[in-house]
Amino acid sequence: MLLAKLEAYGFNNDSLQLIFSFLQSRYQRVKIGSYKSRRQKIKIGVPQGSVLGPLLFNIFINDLFLISLKSEICNFADDNTIFACGNTIQEIVIKLENDLGLLLDWFAKNGMIANPEKFQIMFLGLNDQRCLRLNIGGKKLPATHTVKLLGIQIDNKLKLNKHIHELCVKVNQKVSAFARLNPYLSPDQAKKSVTP
């Protein structure tokens, strides 16, 4: 399918053959510490960690953004976020449910699987979101007061309070660990441990 899309974008036959040879008969394995898994043949996708991988992935999903949606779509690598505005909650729900159906259909037709476990819904500015749900692929997904977007916690008032609180907790844990270790470190070791 990637080669068909590349051909549609104007790649000539020699270029397609080169990319095909880059993708075929590839193997990967996982290494954790000194343990190495068995090599497994890559059946779909591009080699992880390759220089061409991100570029080929972006070319592959490029036509996703050609779908006529009532919502807006934002993309960062393989994270996709859609959002909609409207005069009523019902109008927004209809836009999002219809567009999510179109997007899930595109994923299925392109051999990709969306991960419903990562779906999040939030309505901005509404205090009571308990009754708000979206029907996504036959499942009712409830709205929440906060969502995690590219690693950042954002609430329905577009504030970062929860994210900042979690960062402060993590920093406090690290500073406490350092304070416990400090009596056992020489001055040179202590300087090295705080130098970036």
Side-chain angles (χ1 to χ4, degrees), residues 90-137:
Q90 190 59 30
E91 180 185 347
I92 294 168
V93 167
I94 289 169
K95 284 181 185 180
L96 291 173
E97 286 181 346
N98 289 339
D99 290 349
L100 280 166
L102 293 171
L103 293 171
L104 290 173
D105 184 56
W106 182 92
F107 278 102
K109 287 178 179 173
N110 284 271
M112 299 180 79
I113 301 170
N115 185 353
E117 300 297 318
K118 292 188 176 182
F119 287 8
Q120 305 173 88
I121 301 165
M122 181 174 65
F123 289 87
L124 298 180
L126 296 179
N127 289 328
D128 187 12
Q129 301 200 21
R130 290 174 293 175
C131 61
L132 298 172
R133 291 179 169 13
L134 287 185
N135 185 355
I136 304 172

Side-chain angles (χ1 to χ4, degrees), residues 84-89 91-92 95:
C85 299
N87 294 322
T88 66
I89 295 296
E91 180 185 347
I92 294 168
K95 284 181 185 180

